[in-house]
Structures are given as C-alpha cells and as structure tokens.
C-alpha cells in the first residue's frame, strides 16, 4: 500500500525549480494546424480573413520575443488556436490574433477597426482594458471583487474567453519566466481566472488552469503527488477493471446503451481534498470515479436505477443536477455506491450534450457553425449576449443557466480602486460623492473635489469599472444639497440628508432665539430675565416631552409663534415670583443675509440692503424676507400674526442678487457696453438673457450682485449714461 504523503515544508520548495524543457516552437507547423482547425468549421472566405489577421499580427509584433525566446506571434497564434478548438466566430479569432497589438505595438483601435471591422476592434479594446486593470495592484483578500470587476468590465463574453485562452497559454509556457513572477502569476490564475472559467462552465480549462497553477506554486508537492499517483495506479487497476466490467455488462442487460469511462482525479483536486478534509493520500485515492454517458435524459434515470441494483448506494450521497442544474449550467446525476471490497465508487451519469456543455460551458453555447444557421441554443446565447450589451434583463424563455451566468457577469455593481489599491463595489451609476461616503462618512461630508484616474473631475462624475478615485477634502467643507440630485447609494443620500437636517436645525434654533428675544422685549423682558427654573416650569406645562432647544427650533421653523411663547414665559416668570414689568414696543430682528437656510431672501422680490423689508414666518419654512411693496406680501395681510419686524444690519459684508431689465436700441455692441458699465460699477453679472428681438429695441435681463441700494443706484446711474439705453427697471417676480 502507498504510504501517506507528508506535506512538505514550503521552505524546501523554494530551492526546487519546476522541470520544464523548452524546445523552440515550430511556427510553420503551428500555423498549419491552426489552418486545418479553421477549415473544419469556417467558410473559405472566413478562413482567409482570419489568416490576414495573422499576417497583420505577425508584422506588428515583428522583432518582439517571448521569455522563451520564441517569436512573439507564436503567443496570439496559440490563443486563437484555443478559441478555434471552442469553434468561436471569426471576429473572436481575429481579436485573439490581435489581442496584444494595442498594448505592445503602435497599432491603434481605429486601424484595427478600419482593417477588420468595428466588432473585432471592440473585442481587442476590451481585452486591452482588462490587461490594464490586471496591472493595478490588488489586495489578495479582494480576489472575489477583482473577478467581478473583470467580468463586469468585459461586456462581451468573448472578451473573457480570449482573456482565459491568453492566460492558459501563458500558464502553459510559464517555465521560461523568472521564479518570483511565475509564483505571482500562478497565484493570480488560481484566485482569479480558474474560478471565472468554472463559473462560465469551462471545466476542462478550469482543471488545467488549476493543475498548472498548483505545479508552479508548489512544485515539490506537485511532483511528490504525481509520483504517488503513478505508483498507486497499479494497485487500483484490479478494482477499476472489476467495476468497469460489471458496469459494461449490466447496463446493456438493462437495455441501456452507454459509454463508461474511468475518471482520474487531477492532482490539485487530490491535494485540496487532503488539505481540506485532513485525509491521507490513500484515503483520497481509495475513491473511484466513473462517468456514464447515455443518449437522453430518461436513460440517465434508467441507468441510475440499473447501477443501484448492482451496487448499494451510500445514503444521502445522491444529487440530481439534471433537475436542478448548478449555477454554471452543469448537469449530471451524481451517486456514490459501495463497490467491491467496500470501496466507495462515485458515478456521474449524463447525456452526451450535458457532457459537452459540462466540459466547455459557455463556449459550447457559442459554437460557431454558420452565420445564417445558428442552432437554437446559439440563438438563445446570442439573445442573451445581446441583452447583456443592452443592459436589459434577458427574456423569460432563456434557459436558467443563462440567467445565472448573466447575474454573475453583469452585477448591478461597478468596482473601483481606492488610491491604496483596495477595491470597492458601488451601485451602477454611482458618482464620486457616493464613493466618498462609501469610504467614510467624514470623507463624504468634507469632500470638495476628486481625481479620477489622476485627473481632476467634477464630483458628480459617474464612475466606471476599474476607475481609480482619489477624494480631495477640506476641513470646513459641508455637504451640498445639490448632491442629492445625483447620488446613487442609500448611504450617501441618508448621510447628506442627516447633515443638512442637523444644520438646518442649528440655524433654525439660532433664528428662534432671536425671534423669541424680540418677542420677549415686547413683554418688557430680556432673555436673561428667563431663568432656567422659569424655563423648567414652562416646559413642564407642555404635555409633550420637549427641550428648550426644541422650542427655539420650532420658533425658527415657524411651527410656534414667538409672541405666544414669550407671553407664556412671562406668565411662568410671574408664577415663579418674578416682579411684573411694563410692556414695551418690541425691536426688529436684524437681517444680515447670511443666516443660512433659516432666513431666506424671497425669490419673488429679491430684497437688497436699504430696501424696506418685512419678514413672514410660516410653518416649516422659517423666515422669508420680502420687500414692503412685494405682491406676495400684499396677499398675506390677513395673516399678519405671521409678520415679523425685520431690519437690515447697517453694514453687511455679503453681496445680494438683484434683477434689472434694460430696454435698449437694437444695435451692435450694446450688450458689450452695458456689461462694461456694470463691471465699472464694481458689480458682477450672474446671468444675462435677451428677450426675442422686436425690431428697433431689444430687452436685456441681468442678474447682478450688489452690496446694497446705494451701490445699486450708482450702477443704474452709470447705465443711464449709455445713449442706446432707453429704460431701466428693477425686475421683480
Ligand atoms: Mn497575451
């Protein structure tokens, strides 16, 4: 019997170099074999087109060599050869032959498009984009996100197929590459590409990628296992032969025509099983695998019944992947039986078509025969790909397989890099602001600008897969309400709202305090006259649980009347024993224009300092300041309780917007003259538009920034001096 293999220490492996001998490739020979693969399923004119792509690639890569010393073109040729094995369409083959020219030579996408058509050029571009992503460093723990990123970026399944064939050839020729790089590539293949192959159902490729990765990652373990498996084969031969004979005899007796094959486990599978389940080598190898291939689905179940009558099944080990296929489309019946000498026997029963799809996955669906005669499955695949490209959900009749792969291929997410190489998944359509909030709430609240792929971009920019985003923050920056119009993620939205609400409450509380102070003055009181015990008494009388701050915020928001609160506070003060005071006229609230959201200058009349003003306070709106002669004020005279006495602060620092309407002669250069005069008056133009021209006269509407009425009057005087200007009015409404 074979002795169990101890897992060799990793240190030993560093000294071992994988034994791979390299004979130079015979290009002419490879090209000949490629040609015969092509003519097996393509029309002569298609073969000619693919061959011209080879010539193009050969010329572009002339003078370039691989690590092995082979001419570079041997690589794209091998990649295209793998795609030809999968019977892919001519565009995919052309793209495979050209897949490295954009990255490694001076050829542009446009040239490829001009020579071989748009669709081949798009495929080459897609592969090149993946190559660029690959060169970004990624954290090992993020393999899953990295895979999703690659899949989401590919857009066309053929891009992934080319990329996988590319990786396969690189892995097959890895021996010529320096050891450190070899380990890195092998690790990446195991983490990223093998799982993608599995997800797309490309099981043969999946196993080969795993096997090659294992061999380069752990050369010594690989060799020891390889030797042990060879040695064990002799012992197994007898048992395998016995079972094989039994199956081949009994199935025809039951009227079932079947092909029976023994199944060798691949080395990485054995290795993994030993590690994960802590099994010895002999335990792993004591399991025998067989595959039974029959003509149709009913026969699968008949064969299962027949096998169960030969060997007893192990309870709980039966799995029906025909009724419920695996996510990647794999279908088979699995059962474990108790064979001769009590050895477990694993059988897989499937139809020939299931076998083909099980080995080649998505490539099997993509089988190319003729542009005009696509099989039903291909049509479905076509439709599916189409729907991927259009970002629409696949139609209801698509096989479940396609539905599953679609979900994996096209998640509703995009994947982007932080400056440190971490990958973040965000909702499709997410912007730089969403990214900032995804990193940290503080980053979101303080962000002012961003660099996307090292370029300064607006915060509203929609992010794309593979972007590298750097957020620029400022200590005193605040979220902008306009962000709400474009952020995509719930988190960003909630955080922005939360911030704005808190901010509004603070500003409203400050306004409420001033309004209450004004109302208290009407009662002959100063805010300082209201002690905390008076407040306590006042708050106690209210049934609802409120704080002093809540009351002030409510006043600022117009939800409570300052005058009523002031009267109640005065009453509470007297009840506490405070001396009565005389009523005095109340003073005005001073308006600075910079109070924030709690005090707004009305959009209808746009008051500026110097204008006589009135404040109107309404529920939930806070205080809105209008000019005395504003129409909307006239409409509210029946609700005078809501009017607040307001006054401008004598010297405000900010500028105020004001609208003017100028009627001028319709002559060339009038606009320039007016603009120059406004600038000379020390004002900035915020906005200008012209009414439709009516013959001799033209009407210009400006929005200007002024400090106050005096400043405004000076500008108007300047404008009147322009001969062409006929009439100037201040624009309201
Ligand atoms: Mn390549």
């Amino acid at each position: 019997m074979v002795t169990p293999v101890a897992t060799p220490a990793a240190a030993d492996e560093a000294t071992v170099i994988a034994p791979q001998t390299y004979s130079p490739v015979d290009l002419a020979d490879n090209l000949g074999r490629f040609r015969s693969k092509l003519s097996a399923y393509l029309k002569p004119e298609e073969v000619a087109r693919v061959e011209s792509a080879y010539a193009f690639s050969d010329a572009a890569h002339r003078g370039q060599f691989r690590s092995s010393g082979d001419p570079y073109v041997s690589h794209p040729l091998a990649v295209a050869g793998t795609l030809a094995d999968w019977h892919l369409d001519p565009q995919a083959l052309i793209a495979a032959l050209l897949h490295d020219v954009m990255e490694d030579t001076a050829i542009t996408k446009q040239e490829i498009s001009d020579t071989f058509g748009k669709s081949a050029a798009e495929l080459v571009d897609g592969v090149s984009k993946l190559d660029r992503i690959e060169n970004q460093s990624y954290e090992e723990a993020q393999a899953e996100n990295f895979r999703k990123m690659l899949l989401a970026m590919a857009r066309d399944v053929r891009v992934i197929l080319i990329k996988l064939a590319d990786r396969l050839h690189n892995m097959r020729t890895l021996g010529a590459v320096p050891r450190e790089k070899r380990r890195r590539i092998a690790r990446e293949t195991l983490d990223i590409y093998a799982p993608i192959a599995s997800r797309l159902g490309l099981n043969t490729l999946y196993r080969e990628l795993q096997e090659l990765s294992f061999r380069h990652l752990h050369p010594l373990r690989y060799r020891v296992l390889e030797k042990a498996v060879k040695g064990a084969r002799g012992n197994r031969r007898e048992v395998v032969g016995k079972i094989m004979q039994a199956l081949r005899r009994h199935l025809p007796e039951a009227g079932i025509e079947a092909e029976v094959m023994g199944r060798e486990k691949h080395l990485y599978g054995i290795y993994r099983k030993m590690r994960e389940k802590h099994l010895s080598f002999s335990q792993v190898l004591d399991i025998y695998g067989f595959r039974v291939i029959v003509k149709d689905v009913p026969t699968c179940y008949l064969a299962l019944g027949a096998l169960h009558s030969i060997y007893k099944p192990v309870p709980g080990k039966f799995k029906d992947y025909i009724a419920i296929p695996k996510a990647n489309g794999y279908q088979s019946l699995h059962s474990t039986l108790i064979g001769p000498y009590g050895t477990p026997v694993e059988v897989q029963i499937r139809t020939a078509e299931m076998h083909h799809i099980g080995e080649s996955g998505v490539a099997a669906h993509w089988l190319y025969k003729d542009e005009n005669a696509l099989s039903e499955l291909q049509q479905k695949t076509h439709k599916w790909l189409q729907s991927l490209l259009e970002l629409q959900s696949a139609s209801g009749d698509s096989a479940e397989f396609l539905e599953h792969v679609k979900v994996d291929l096209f998640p509703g997410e995009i994947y982007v890099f932080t400056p440190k190489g971490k990958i973040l998944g965000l909702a499709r359509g997410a912007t730089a602001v969403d990214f900032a909030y995804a990193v940290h709430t503080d980053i979101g609240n303080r962000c002012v600008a961003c660099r996307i792929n090292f370029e300064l971009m607006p915060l509203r920019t929609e992010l794309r897969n593979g972007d590298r985003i750097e957020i620029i923050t400022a200590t005193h920056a605040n979220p902008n309400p306009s962000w709400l119009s474009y952020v995509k993620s719930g988190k960003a939205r909630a955080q922005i709202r939360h911030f704005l609400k808190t901010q509004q409450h603070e500003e409203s509380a400050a306004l409420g305090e001033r309004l209450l102070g004004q109302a208290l003055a009407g009662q002959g009181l100063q805010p300082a006259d209201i002690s905390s015990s008076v407040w306590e008494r006042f708050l106690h009388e209210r049934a609802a649980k409120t704080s002093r701050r809540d009351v002030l915020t409510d006043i600022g928001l117009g939800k409570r009347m300052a005058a009523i609160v002031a009267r109640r506070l005065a009453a509470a003060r007297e009840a506490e024993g405070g001396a009565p005071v005389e009523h005095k006229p109340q003073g005005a609230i001073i308006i600075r224009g910079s109070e924030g959201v709690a005090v707004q200058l009305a959009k209808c009349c746009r008051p500026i300092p110097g204008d006589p003003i009135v404040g109107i306070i309404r529920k939930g709106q806070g205080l809105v300041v209008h000019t005395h002669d504003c129409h909307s004020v006239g409409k509210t005279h029946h609700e005078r309780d809501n009017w607040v006495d307001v006054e401008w602060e004598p010297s405000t620092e900010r500028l105020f917007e004001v609208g003017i309407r100028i009627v001028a002669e319709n002559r060339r250069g009038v606009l320039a003259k007016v603009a120059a005069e406004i600038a000379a008056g020390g004002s900035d133009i915020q906005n200008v538009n012209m009414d439709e021209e009516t013959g001799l006269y033209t009407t210009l509407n400006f929005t200007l920034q002024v400090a106050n009425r005096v400043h405004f009057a000076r500008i108007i005087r300047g404008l009147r001096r322009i001969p062409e200007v006929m009439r100037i009015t201040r624009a309201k409404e």
Side-chain angles (χ1 to χ4, degrees), residues 487-501:
V487 293
K488 193 84 186 172
S489 64
K491 184 186 175 185
R493 189 167 293 278
Q495 296 288 1
I496 295 166
R497 284 225 175 97
H498 176 75
F499 186 93
L500 293 175
K501 210 171 161 190

Side-chain angles (χ1 to χ4, degrees), residues 66 72 75-76 79 96 99-100 104 127 131 163 166-167 170:
R66 311 199 77 218
Y72 196 87
H75 167 64
V79 174
H99 80 268
D100 278 332
D104 296 347
V127 177
D131 288 342
K163 191 67 215 160
D166 176 45
R167 184 49 67 121
N170 286 337

